[in-house]
Amino acid sequence: MKTDLISRRSFLSVVGAVGAAAALTACGGAVSSTASSAASSEAASESVELIVFAAASLTETLNAIAQDYSAENPGVTFRFNFDSSGTLKTQIQEGADCDLFLSAGQKQMNQLDITASADVNTDGLDFVDPSTRVDLLENKVVLCVPEGSDKGIDSFDALAAHLKAQDILFCMGNSDVPVGQYTQKILAYYGLDEEALAAAGVITYGSNVKEVTTQISEGSVDAGVVYCTDAYSAGLTPVDEATAEMCGQVIYPAAVLKAAPNAEAAKEFLAYLQTDRAATVFEGVGFTAM
């Protein structure tokens, strides 16, 4: 498996502008008080809380990167909303405050991007600043089974055979979740009828990739499809990896929103996410930086 996450750096001890102003003594108490007040205002104006909506599979890595970023940029804090990309897209569409959106699939980003094809952005939504949009990461779709499983599910071929025999319980993401959409493509690749399998009680669902991972880890299902990165975070060892022919590339786009409360700060953080330092964290759990 991949190397461990790089150690999180301790927060730097930073002397703020207010402290510096308070240290001035040359011009007496009144001037010192004025300088301190000005410095306090300046420090307050530099404080920002970035609101980041991100796919659930980015939970561990973004928390680690944010800790490093805040250490290097005092005053910048984060409010993360981790969930399925479909849920996040809906929340943005309904008016939730958000500075930066990181999706686990192109579809959800395209549905918010007025420059995307009308075949995908069917409602003509215009939430994304297209000048900031980047393809940030690539992930892999993998097949996992519970530890100690004796079902003989050691490949996608074996999974398909068991699904056809309807002798296992398989977990996948909902149809509005990117990992679920990739899984649907895999089922179609093997000529499997998802609706019929679900009706037969062979398939159970998770509302995001973390729920699928939990069901596998707890042994409540015989197999499930998740991302390589989530398998790593949960301590699961994948038994097979889907090819591009089976489900396409798993690309994570990112973009600042047009109505972002902190657009400039969000752009700076997005630029940081494309640095080698951030890539080291992403690649430590199985992502490929693009």
Side-chain angles (χ1 to χ4, degrees):
M1 290 298 295
K2 307 293 182 180
T3 56
D4 289 338
L5 280 169
I6 59 171
S7 298
R8 297 180 182 180
R9 214 174 284 104
S10 299
F11 278 88
L12 300 176
S13 177
V14 181
V15 178
V18 176
L24 293 175
T25 57
C27 298
V31 176
S32 177
S33 176
T34 301
S36 179
S37 176
S40 296
S41 298
E42 181 180 353
S45 68
E46 291 176 354
S47 297
V48 60
E49 180 185 57
L50 284 178
I51 307 169
V52 180
F53 281 32
S57 49
L58 289 163
T59 302
E60 293 81 9
T61 47
L62 280 186
N63 274 311
I65 290 171
Q67 184 171 350
D68 285 347
Y69 190 81
S70 293
E72 297 172 9
N73 298 272
V76 178
T77 58
F78 292 86
R79 191 198 323 164
F80 285 115
N81 181 13
F82 294 109
D83 211 319
S84 73
S85 299
T87 296
L88 298 175
K89 173 260 176 186
T90 299
Q91 292 173 351
I92 291 170
Q93 182 179 348
E94 292 177 347
D97 283 343
C98 175
D99 291 307
L100 179 64
F101 179 36
L102 293 90
S103 173
Q106 298 283 15
K107 178 180 178 180
Q108 290 73 21
M109 186 68 75
N110 286 337
Q111 289 174 330
L112 296 172
D113 188 348
I114 194 63
T115 66
S117 169
D119 293 338
V120 181
N121 188 355
T122 55
D123 296 324
L125 301 179
D126 188 14
F127 287 85
V128 168
D129 179 352
S131 69
T132 67
R133 182 171 173 174
V134 295
D135 288 341
L136 185 65
L137 302 166
E138 181 179 5
N139 208 340
K140 298 295 183 183
V141 171
V142 297
L143 174 64
C144 291
V145 300
E147 185 177 355
S149 172
D150 59 359
K151 295 289 186 177
I153 305 172
D154 57 4
S155 66
F156 278 107
D157 289 348
L159 172 68
H162 278 284
L163 289 174
K164 289 176 181 177
Q166 298 188 5
D167 61 0
I168 62 169
L169 181 59
F170 172 67
C171 188
M172 61 182 282
N174 290 338
S175 61
D176 66 336
V177 179
V179 73
Q181 293 160 4
Y182 293 124
T183 307
Q184 288 178 321
K185 293 179 180 179
I186 294 171
L187 295 179
Y189 174 83
Y190 283 102
L192 295 165
D193 186 335
E194 177 194 349
E195 186 174 337
L197 290 171
V202 177
I203 296 179
T204 183
Y205 294 89
S207 63
N208 59 52
V209 70
K210 295 296 184 187
E211 287 190 9
V212 180
T213 305
T214 297
Q215 291 190 50
I216 301 168
S217 297
E218 294 179 347
S220 56
V221 295
D222 297 306
V225 170
V226 297
Y227 297 122
C228 169
T229 53
D230 291 281
Y232 175 88
S233 298
L236 294 170
T237 300
V239 296
D240 202 2
E241 181 179 294
T243 64
E245 181 184 8
M246 293 165 67
C247 66
Q249 277 187 291
V250 183
I251 304 300
Y252 285 49
V256 176
L257 298 190
K258 286 187 173 180
N262 304 289
E264 291 307 313
K267 291 175 184 178
E268 291 176 7
F269 181 60
L270 180 54
Y272 182 84
L273 293 178
Q274 299 170 71
T275 64
D276 290 342
R277 295 183 68 182
T280 299
V281 180
F282 285 128
E283 292 174 355
V285 297
F287 283 110
T288 299
M290 301 187 71

